Amino acid sequence: MKQCNTEKDGEYLVVKLAGEVDMSWSQEVRAAVLDALKKSSKVAVHLAAVSYIDSSGIAALVEGFQSARGRGQTFVLLETSPAVQAVLKLARLDKVFSLRDSLA
């Protein structure tokens, strides 16, 4: 089941994703990430419940990262699932994104 919710956690707005982030859904994810960046200087994308992510999903995350960097905002990927980690490593983006196990 696909899920995309945004909630406040301390100083962060957290975009929580679940399910498969693919072409059919990546525009919604992109919109949620960019919307969160308009509302908060610190944004985290929670990926523990993502079972699959394709290039369009990765592109949505990269766009969020670039947007945040351009504005001096904090953008982190939180609790990346093994499926997401594998794609990030393959694309060598595990060295680009700030990957965290928690917001603490």
Side-chain angles (χ1 to χ4, degrees), residues 88 92-97 99:
L88 291 175
R92 299 216 165 120
L93 289 169
D94 56 328
K95 307 282 187 259
V96 174
F97 286 110
L99 304 176

Side-chain angles (χ1 to χ4, degrees), residues 55-97:
S55 59
S56 67
I58 293 294
L61 297 178
V62 168
E63 188 173 344
F65 168 79
Q66 290 175 328
S67 176
R69 190 175 60 182
R71 296 189 207 144
Q73 294 171 289
T74 301
F75 185 80
V76 301
L77 301 184
L78 195 57
E79 294 183 44
T80 52
S81 68
V84 173
Q85 282 178 23
V87 175
L88 291 175
K89 282 190 174 124
L90 189 67
R92 299 216 165 120
L93 289 169
D94 56 328
K95 307 282 187 259
V96 174
F97 286 110

Side-chain angles (χ1 to χ4, degrees), residues 6-14 16 42 44 78 102-104:
T6 303
E7 54 193 53
K8 190 107 173 92
D9 185 344
E11 297 181 304
Y12 283 83
L13 262 185
V14 180
K16 282 193 161 188
K42 294 185 176 188
L78 195 57
S102 74
L103 288 177

Side-chain angles (χ1 to χ4, degrees), residues 6 17 19 22 24 30 36 43 46-47 61 65 70 73 79-80 82 91:
T6 303
L17 302 177
D22 57 21
S24 69
R30 176 185 173 272
V43 171
H46 188 270
L47 298 160
L61 297 178
F65 168 79
Q73 294 171 289
E79 294 183 44
T80 52

Side-chain angles (χ1 to χ4, degrees), residues 21-35:
V21 182
D22 57 21
M23 201 69 182
S24 69
W25 193 50
S26 57
Q27 285 305 313
E28 186 181 326
V29 170
R30 176 185 173 272
V33 168
L34 295 177
D35 187 53

